[in-house]
Amino acid sequence: MHGMFPKKEEDMIVTKFGGTSLASAATIRNAVNIVKSDPERRFMVVSAPGKRFPEDTKITDLLYQVHHARKEGNDYQNPLRQIREHFREIIEELGISFDLDREINIIEKEMKEYETADYLASRGEYLNARIISRFLDWPFVDAGLLIRFRGRRLDEEATYPLVRSVLKNMEHAVIPGFYGKDEEGRITVFSRGGSDVTGAIIARGVKADLYENWTDVSGIMSADPRIVENPRKVDWISYRELREMSYMGASVLHEEAVFPIRAAGIPIQIRNTMDPEAAGTRIVPVIPKDARPHTITGIAGKKGLSDLFIEKAMMNAEVGFGARVMNIIARNGVPYEHTPTSIDSMSVIVETAALEHCRNQIISEIDRELNPDRIMIEDGIALIAVVGEGLWKNIGFASRMFAILAKEGIHVRMIDAGFSEMNVIIGISAPQYEKAFRALYDGLQDLM
Ligand code: ASP
């Protein structure tokens, strides 16, 4: 059931299910029913079991606990027992035969060969995929055969041909997410939530028509539901818009999951396992002409930022001033978010947490190397981004946005409205964040 979204005669779909959707026998049954209900769903990528109830611990977190306990020479039997019990419950309730004790013995043996947490971290996906493959009666294909890393980075050149050649003649497969192997054959994992990336890679490798990402939410929301009550669900969103929204904290998908399929133009559909009839959100290269017209796709934002402010008379005439500032920041390992400038001053907006160990170091390096008139770091900055491909075609939009903020008494500290023509980002002080967010969401409803 694809709802409002178009469908060709014979599409090939790669489905990926998240940990909450595969946490128990009941949710696995539900996911398997979804997969089976459409013959075009040919390849199923799975996460490790997530939480069954709010106080539960995700299998992946327990696996990391085992690793850390072992590294520190502590007893790891407690987290290992919890892992065993969780899988045992799933296996028993699914009514399949699976020699769990043997598998766990192998893991205990093999983990000794690894210094890093990667091998252990990957075993949640591995075991879950083996179990689901048995239950679904589809072949299991190990991600180690498909996904290649060079160091810690995906080796795209090696991976796509491998995926294609291994899966080419297969009707179906269950594939564990989250990991692959490096050039030395060692298990390597993506960053947390990385099964989304695996799904995208498989979709690209087999040249799927659609990558379905099944999760526990109804799709991408046009605003943060913790701030705005019942925000509208987004039906269509472009890859570029999604990138803006998730960068600003509205994340449903792993950030890196978009890139493999964006290059291949494959749409992603976010769907909810708890509401499988609902259409969800479709992420596409270009929003189709017949989609509901709108100017703004969503509003997103984040707190916890700092403004590094530097002032120096005639800064503009000093060629390379900005580059040297950025160099100092980079040298200290701090990524930056924005750099609004004026004639004699510049700001660099960074995450406050990233400054934790190098705040004084950065100030003294800038002082020494650039001799500014004034330098200071102000914490407690928040950013709000209004995102939409159609934004800048709407004349008068900016005046409306700032009138709304003015009416609420919001002090706008920074404006960044890039030439990408698809967003406006404002910087405000953190205590005004929620108020500004709600005011913009309510006041710009007719454009959403
Ligand atoms: N199980 C891994 C994690 O918890 C990967 C994933 O679920 O996507 O991060």
Side-chain angles (χ1 to χ4, degrees):
M1 156 78 199
H2 288 247
M4 72 194 80
F5 303 112
K7 201 163 173 297
K8 282 192 285 166
E9 263 309 293
E10 270 179 60
D11 280 348
M12 190 216 284
I13 302 172
V14 169
T15 58
K16 180 261 164 181
F17 287 83
T20 325
S21 309
L22 302 171
S24 64
T27 50
I28 290 174
R29 275 213 172 82
N30 180 40
V32 161
N33 284 339
I34 290 170
V35 168
K36 280 190 177 159
S37 69
D38 186 340
E40 292 167 352
R41 297 191 174 119
R42 302 236 325 254
F43 301 105
M44 181 185 191
V45 175
V46 305
S47 275
K51 295 182 182 200
R52 293 158 293 184
F53 41 86
E55 316 77 53
D56 201 11
T57 312
K58 291 173 71 170
I59 290 286
T60 311
D61 291 329
L62 291 168
L63 288 160
Y64 278 108
Q65 283 178 25
V66 171
H67 171 77
H68 292 125
R70 209 178 85 77
K71 258 201 112 176
E72 277 154 33
N74 296 335
D75 183 19
Y76 56 78
Q77 286 310 321
N78 186 29
L80 191 64
R81 200 189 56 247
Q82 291 180 59
I83 294 166
R84 198 191 296 265
E85 276 165 15
H86 191 154
F87 276 117
R88 176 164 297 144
E89 184 187 289
I90 290 177
I91 291 163
E92 277 175 15
E93 285 181 26
L94 288 178
I96 53 170
S97 72
F98 189 88
D99 193 346
L100 182 64
D101 290 333
R102 180 169 170 271
E103 293 296 332
I104 293 199
N105 285 344
I106 294 174
I107 293 172
E108 272 196 274
K109 208 159 96 217
E110 289 191 344
M111 73 185 180
K112 301 200 174 95
E113 289 163 29
Y114 282 81
E115 267 296 298
T116 64
D118 293 61
Y119 170 77
L120 264 170
S122 73
R123 296 301 88 183
E125 270 67 14
Y126 171 79
L127 287 176
N128 218 19
R130 292 269 317 273
I131 289 166
I132 292 168
S133 126
R134 177 90 29 109
F135 180 64
L136 186 54
D137 203 14
W138 281 9
F140 164 85
V141 176
D142 191 20
L145 294 174
L146 304 172
I147 291 173
R148 282 282 166 278
F149 284 82
R150 188 173 297 156
R152 298 210 65 84
R153 293 192 68 83
L154 173 70
D155 180 349
E156 293 196 87
E157 269 170 42
T159 297
Y160 299 128
L162 263 181
V163 172
R164 204 161 305 141
S165 68
V166 175
L167 299 179
K168 187 173 67 203
N169 297 319
M170 297 189 71
E171 188 57 27
H172 294 296
V174 179
I175 302 158
F178 196 33
Y179 70 95
K181 281 189 175 168
D182 70 8
E183 57 273 65
E184 278 154 33
R186 297 175 74 75
I187 299 271
T188 306
V189 294
F190 293 108
S191 57
R192 295 300 304 267
S195 300
D196 283 344
V197 187
T198 309
I201 291 167
I202 303 300
R204 164 128 176 221
V206 300
K207 299 200 166 88
D209 298 285
L210 180 65
Y211 170 31
E212 272 182 351
N213 191 293
W214 289 87
T215 173
D216 54 353
V217 294
S218 311
I220 292 166
M221 296 296 141
S222 58
D224 186 341
R226 287 165 303 186
I227 302 174
V228 169
E229 215 179 305
N230 281 328
R232 171 201 277 278
K233 177 191 65 104
V234 175
D235 299 330
W236 297 91
I237 187 167
S238 70
Y239 293 133
R240 295 171 71 220
E241 290 173 331
L242 177 75
R243 185 76 190 115
E244 295 282 339
M245 293 283 290
S246 51
Y247 170 69
M248 293 297 286
S251 71
V252 173
L253 263 188
H254 189 291
E255 256 200 344
E256 284 161 42
V258 173
F259 297 110
I261 47 182
R262 178 177 182 164
I266 300 167
I268 311 173
Q269 196 160 332
I270 308 287
R271 306 198 56 173
N272 187 351
T273 41
M274 269 132 30
D275 187 7
E277 294 301 310
T281 298
R282 191 171 278 212
I283 308 161
V284 285
V286 182
I287 310 265
K289 293 256 173 337
D290 53 0
R292 190 181 59 79
H294 63 276
T295 303
I296 297 170
T297 299
I299 301 179
K302 55 182 176 187
K303 294 204 260 192
L305 298 155
S306 297
D307 174 19
L308 169 67
F309 178 81
I310 305 157
E311 196 168 35
K312 185 175 187 184
M314 300 298 290
M315 177 191 281
N316 66 317
E318 233 180 277
V319 175
F321 188 94
R324 275 179 283 157
V325 171
M326 300 317 284
N327 203 359
I328 292 170
I329 292 172
R331 232 192 278 148
N332 281 280
V334 176
Y336 76 95
E337 315 274 317
H338 298 278
T339 51
T341 59
S342 71
I343 291 285
D344 283 336
S345 71
M346 67 182 283
S347 276
V348 187
I349 311 284
V350 298
E351 274 186 20
T352 311
L355 291 175
E356 203 182 329
H357 303 293
C358 53
R359 179 181 286 261
N360 296 336
Q361 179 72 13
I362 288 179
I363 292 187
S364 68
E365 285 180 32
I366 291 177
D367 235 346
R368 199 171 55 234
E369 292 175 36
L370 295 157
N371 195 25
D373 300 332
R374 193 152 74 101
I375 173 166
M376 58 179 209
I377 295 179
E378 185 185 340
D379 297 335
I381 303 288
L383 297 179
I384 298 179
V386 180
V387 178
E389 300 254 19
L391 212 60
W392 287 102
K393 290 187 198 84
N394 186 305
I395 294 172
F397 154 76
S399 84
R400 274 191 60 190
M401 177 172 167
F402 290 101
I404 291 168
L405 294 167
K407 194 161 153 259
E408 293 294 324
I410 308 287
H411 181 192
V412 178
R413 311 282 308 277
M414 180 209 88
I415 303 169
D416 192 340
F419 282 98
S420 71
E421 299 216 332
M422 55 175 298
N423 66 13
V424 180
I425 298 172
I426 55 157
I428 55 177
S429 69
Q432 293 199 304
Y433 176 70
E434 277 84 6
K435 186 175 171 197
F437 198 118
R438 273 186 215 114
L440 288 172
Y441 185 81
D442 292 342
L444 297 170
Q445 266 308 301
D446 58 308
L447 299 178
M448 297 185 77

